[in-house]
């Protein structure tokens, strides 16, 4: 079994493997920075598929659509590969029902996973050029009304980084614990857990 995963899930997938001996799989990662250029995600996933073709009985994609506009799903359908449900990681981390409730509560929510909180400075602040042109903040984030940190594993350093990100965006912060149970259940449902565990 191989999982082709977004680099933003590396820590979480490793935590699940350490916590559950039934989680037996190899994993290869696509750089998370591609979220800033989602038109390249499908081709990067295709390159990973081509590189391992014939070496695995099954491949699973740990990705949402992530802004590919359906291009990733089109590729995966053609290859016969399933992926995690939802448009993006926020949805499969929080769960569809909880994510929908958060969006109904405030459609102008900017979401942070633990990964994005840890790497906000590099991926968002520098990635969007806000370190060089801070005046662009309102252009990018003027319609947002809050930051929502979806906490997968409690960690004060990560919480501090989420708070710092909210301060930089001049938005209030809401914190919600999600854990890894939903991600784990999605992987188990995809038959990634070894039946010999």
């Amino acid at each position: 079994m191989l999982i082709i995963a977004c680099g933003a899930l590396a820590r979480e997938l490793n935590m699940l493997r350490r916590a559950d001996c039934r989680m037996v799989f190899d994993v290869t990662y696509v750089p998370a920075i591609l979220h800033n250029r989602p038109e390249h995600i499908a081709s990067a996933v295709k390159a990973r598929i081509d590189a391992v073709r014939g070496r695995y009985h099954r491949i699973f994609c740990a990705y949402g659509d992530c802004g590919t506009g359906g291009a990733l799903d089109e590729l995966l359908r053609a290859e016969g590969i399933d992926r995690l449900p939802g448009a993006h990681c926020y949805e499969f981390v929080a769960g569809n029902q909880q994510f929908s409730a958060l969006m109904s509560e405030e459609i102008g929510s900017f979401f942070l996973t633990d990964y994005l909180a840890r790497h906000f400075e590099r991926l968002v602040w520098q990635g969007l050029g806000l370190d060089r042109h801070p005046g662009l903040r309102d252009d990018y984030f003027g319609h947002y009304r809050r930051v929502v940190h979806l906490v997968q594993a409690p960690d004060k350093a990560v919480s501090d980084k989420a708070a710092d990100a909210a301060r930089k965006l001049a938005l209030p912060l809401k914190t919600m614990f999600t854990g890894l149970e939903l991600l784990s259940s999605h992987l188990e449902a995809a038959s990634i857990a070894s039946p010999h565990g």
Side-chain angles (χ1 to χ4, degrees), residues 34-158:
L34 287 184
H35 282 95
N36 288 351
R37 299 296 304 274
E39 68 272 18
H40 298 304
I41 290 175
S43 60
V45 170
K46 175 85 162 66
R48 298 300 193 281
I49 294 168
D50 290 344
V52 300
R53 195 174 300 280
R55 290 175 39 202
Y56 290 90
H57 291 294
R58 182 142 191 254
I59 297 174
F60 182 80
C61 189
Y63 246 105
D65 175 75
C66 297
T68 71
L72 181 60
D73 282 337
E74 183 178 340
L75 164 69
L76 296 176
R77 268 194 305 274
E79 296 286 349
I81 296 172
D82 293 324
R83 72 166 175 86
L84 288 169
H88 36 65
C89 57
Y90 316 122
E91 193 169 347
F92 59 70
V93 164
N96 183 267
Q97 188 173 359
Q98 189 163 303
F99 178 77
S100 295
L102 286 166
M103 291 300 285
S104 294
E105 180 181 282
E106 176 52 78
I107 197 167
S109 296
F110 180 76
F111 291 89
L112 295 174
T113 58
D114 288 348
Y115 176 88
L116 193 52
R118 287 195 315 275
H119 300 284
F120 177 86
E121 183 71 24
R122 179 174 60 88
L123 293 176
V124 178
W125 202 253
Q126 294 172 10
L128 295 176
L130 293 166
D131 56 328
R132 299 178 307 281
H133 308 286
L136 290 174
R137 183 189 67 189
D138 291 343
D139 293 334
Y140 286 128
F141 296 98
H143 296 291
Y144 287 99
R145 296 291 172 258
R146 68 178 182 181
V147 173
V148 179
H149 178 200
L150 303 173
V151 179
Q152 289 115 344
D155 182 317
K156 183 180 184 308
V158 176

Side-chain angles (χ1 to χ4, degrees), residues 1-3 16-17 20-26 58 184 187-197:
M1 170 66 69
L2 175 72
I3 299 178
L16 287 174
R17 283 202 289 194
D20 186 345
C21 64
R22 296 173 304 141
M23 293 283 181
V24 180
F25 52 83
D26 291 338
R58 182 142 191 254
S184 177
L187 298 182
E188 288 174 1
S191 303
I192 288 172
S194 167
H196 310 296

